[in-house]
Amino acid sequence: MYADDETVRAILREFGDTWAVVGLSANEDRAAFGVARVLRRFGKRVVPVHPKAETVHGERGYATLADVPFPVDVVDVFVNSRLAGPVADEAVAIGAKAVWFQLGVIDPEAYARTRAAGLAMVMDRCPAIEIPRLS
């Protein structure tokens, strides 16, 4: 409903290789940690964005998207749905090309705002599932 396979493929293959994963910490038990590992295996640079600004998978972390000192292509969001809209707005502000809301992260208003700003967007899907499915 909030992304077709063509959009998913484009984000995974064409929108760039630097992914900021919002909510990624060094906690190996969290879904974000495993998804980040899959993204790295697929050739993506995974930048952790978390208030703790921890280094994860060898990549320095940042407290906010605005703190990342280089361009980010895709913002992958692992936060509660009620917090996701402001993250999507930050993704627009930093010039990202796409926003990806993970499984269970749903905010139709943020989806509409992000698409209206010209970014590609996927909501309520997981790249770790989509990569093998669409390969």
Side-chain angles (χ1 to χ4, degrees):
M1 176 176 186
Y2 289 105
D4 55 41
D5 285 350
E6 183 178 318
T7 301
V8 171
R9 275 191 194 96
I11 292 171
L12 292 172
R13 296 181 181 165
E14 301 167 18
F15 279 68
D17 291 331
T18 302
W19 285 50
V21 180
V22 178
L24 175 58
S25 71
N27 183 344
E28 295 182 25
D29 295 329
R30 304 290 298 188
F33 191 90
V35 170
R37 183 181 299 129
V38 170
L39 288 169
R40 287 175 43 85
R41 277 198 308 257
F42 191 63
K44 305 301 182 188
R45 178 182 186 187
V46 175
V47 180
V49 177
H50 189 282
K52 293 181 182 178
E54 299 173 307
T55 296
V56 183
H57 297 300
E59 186 75 43
R60 178 182 171 204
Y62 299 90
T64 69
L65 286 171
D67 293 336
V68 180
F70 46 82
V72 168
D73 300 309
V74 180
V75 176
D76 189 4
V77 182
F78 276 92
V79 299
N80 185 289
S81 293
R82 65 182 168 72
L83 303 173
V87 174
D89 296 338
E90 289 176 46
V92 171
I94 66 163
K97 298 174 188 170
V99 175
W100 191 301
F101 280 8
Q102 283 293 327
L103 289 172
V105 180
I106 301 169
D107 183 335
E109 291 81 19
Y111 181 88
R113 284 194 313 273
T114 303
R115 295 291 297 134
L119 281 69
M121 183 153 181
V122 172
M123 186 163 62
D124 194 28
R125 289 171 85 168
C126 178
I129 294 169
E130 301 301 328
I131 289 169
R133 187 179 78 78
L134 297 175
S135 294

